[in-house]
Amino acid sequence: MTNAHDAGARPGRALLLLPVQAVLVAALGLLVTGPLAHHWPLSAEDDVNRALADGRAPSATSLTDWLSLVADTQTVIGLTLLCVLGLLLVPRAPRWWEAGFLAVSVAAQSAVFLLVTLVVNRDRPDVPHLDGAPPTSSFPSGHVGASAALYGGLAVLAARHLRGVWRNLVVGLLLLVPLAVAFSRLYRGMHHPSDVVVGLLNGACTLLVVGAALLPDARKGGAEPEPAAPGTRRAVVVRHPHACDDGTAARVRTVLRRHGYAEQRWTDTTPEDPSGGLAPHLTGADADPTGPAEPVGPVEPVEPVDLVVVCGGDGTVRACADLVAGTGIPLAIVPCGTGNLLARNLGLPVEPVAALREALSGRAVGLDVGRIRGDGLAPTRFAVMAGAGFDAAMVRDASPRLKERLGWAAYVLSAARHLRDPRMRLSIRLDGGAPLERRARMVVIGNVGSLQGGLPLLPEARPDSGRLEVVLLDPRGVTGWLAAAGYLASRAPGRSRASGTRERTAAHGALEYFGATRVDLRFARPQPRELDGDVLPAGTRLTAEVEPGVLRVCLPAPTRIGAQAVSGKDGKEVAEHGHRDARTAAR
């Protein structure tokens, strides 16, 4: 068993990669200035510098002068100190590990840069220089490396704490700064193109190394320990063994104990049983405690649990929610998967243990789920989205290896392979009404509406609305895809809401929206299907119905989804401490 100390110490060893990084950058510099100097594309670098020098204009010169100021040594040091102080002075929650990540990233990048300049001596481009040339080699660009470390590091921190449109905007602007600085260094005649490319790589690699060394520890040290809650309660923890590592499991166990869950039963998921054998723990049948936590309390007879904790992604949460829905037993989500769309839509922190800590300090709220069936499918529930066509093919063909390495970005690569897939013919029936005949590339039925980065695929979807939202995507050509992407990027959740089953279109017909409590889909040919990110067998039918308020989920209080607070059905909020009575009433 890995204890918390070991879990924090092991990632810190990644800093040992920094000397290796310095050696590799220096070796690359010796190749650039030596054997490869007269080979394309390096042989064409002087032409690039001369072309930029010949095309200088007063407005561009003024802009690049400002960009040089943004990335010079004094500015980078000053901004780094201000940001570090800001992180340390956050009221009640100083972010020590994040402050260290930012400071060490900037310092480590500078150290690698200085070491490389001692080995590689490269003259600056033979064009008029608009800045004074410091007494260092042109390889690599120190301005570009410093801006990549500082502004890229701030982008990493922004991505951890911001949500929705603001997250995309802030992260995008911060990541543009190093690229703009790279162009300004070329424009001002201070560096060759290869100098700025390696400067970007140096800064990015430094962020990866320092982030791997320091940011995991931020997961365990960001808040003061909570006092132990009185009494002894029982929790079953369903753990995806690949998504939830031993260090995270140890911290989950600690948080549960501090909230009074002295008896913990741990069970791992398997490909054959994605719920980890949860059912016996809900009914009180015989079950053996397993997993990373030692059993505390009696093993037999097994009593029904007071809380279900799910450590995994949307697929694991869905499998457990299917069993927990209707029992009255609260469910707590520890988001450890690739997408974690349910957790993000519910406003939970993206960091797993912080999500559990805040959820247990909040309330259990009754949320909707969808119940789905179809040809070749046993009836089951979903909490996020069900779909057919383009999105299901994307999920089906995403590489497991790339998902492990790149996370949700692996789905983007898979999606590119299916942009030219043929449209499907389908009929859609809403709440038993007349069938509507359509053609589309995909159809999605959603209980929640936002994808990664807060992209609102279903802007009106809310998990406490008592209905499901549907979108048909049918872009025609490049302009259709661009119109759909632009419309979604410009939308914010919680805007105008369609009533009843009235349909509406957007993005010049590329998107069509519906809302209903029951949705029947029929396809002319078998289509790939997916459910909360899990691939289903291809088929020709899907029927989804909403089950209002049957799933109790522990959420931070007050919890907000979109623009309105989540209060459960009939405006009732159920305290986590009172869930035992709710469970008894449900039975």
Side-chain angles (χ1 to χ4, degrees), residues 107-159:
Q109 181 282 142
S110 298
V112 171
F113 162 74
L114 291 174
L115 289 172
V116 172
T117 58
L118 296 177
V119 178
V120 181
N121 186 15
R122 189 183 197 186
D123 293 331
R124 297 189 183 273
D126 187 20
V127 296
H129 301 158
L130 297 183
D131 291 329
T136 54
S137 167
S138 178
F139 183 95
S141 172
H143 280 67
V144 173
S147 64
L150 173 58
Y151 301 105
L154 291 174
V156 170
L157 299 183

Side-chain angles (χ1 to χ4, degrees), residues 248-271:
T248 301
R251 296 191 291 276
V252 166
R253 181 177 59 179
T254 300
V255 171
L256 286 172
R257 282 178 172 166
R258 287 172 180 160
H259 281 82
Y261 293 96
E263 181 183 329
Q264 299 174 31
R265 311 171 194 166
W266 286 71
T267 178
D268 285 353
T269 66
T270 65

Side-chain angles (χ1 to χ4, degrees), residues 387-397 411-412 414-422 424 440-444 473 481 527-528 530:
F390 172 78
D391 69 316
M394 173 190 70
V395 171
R396 180 194 62 196
D397 295 337
Y411 292 119
V412 178
S414 176
R417 299 166 52 189
H418 293 283
L419 291 176
R420 293 182 175 272
D421 285 359
M424 58 183 176
R441 296 190 181 276
M442 80 173 189
V443 56
V444 173
L473 175 68
W481 283 105
Q527 297 294 331
E530 63 89 12

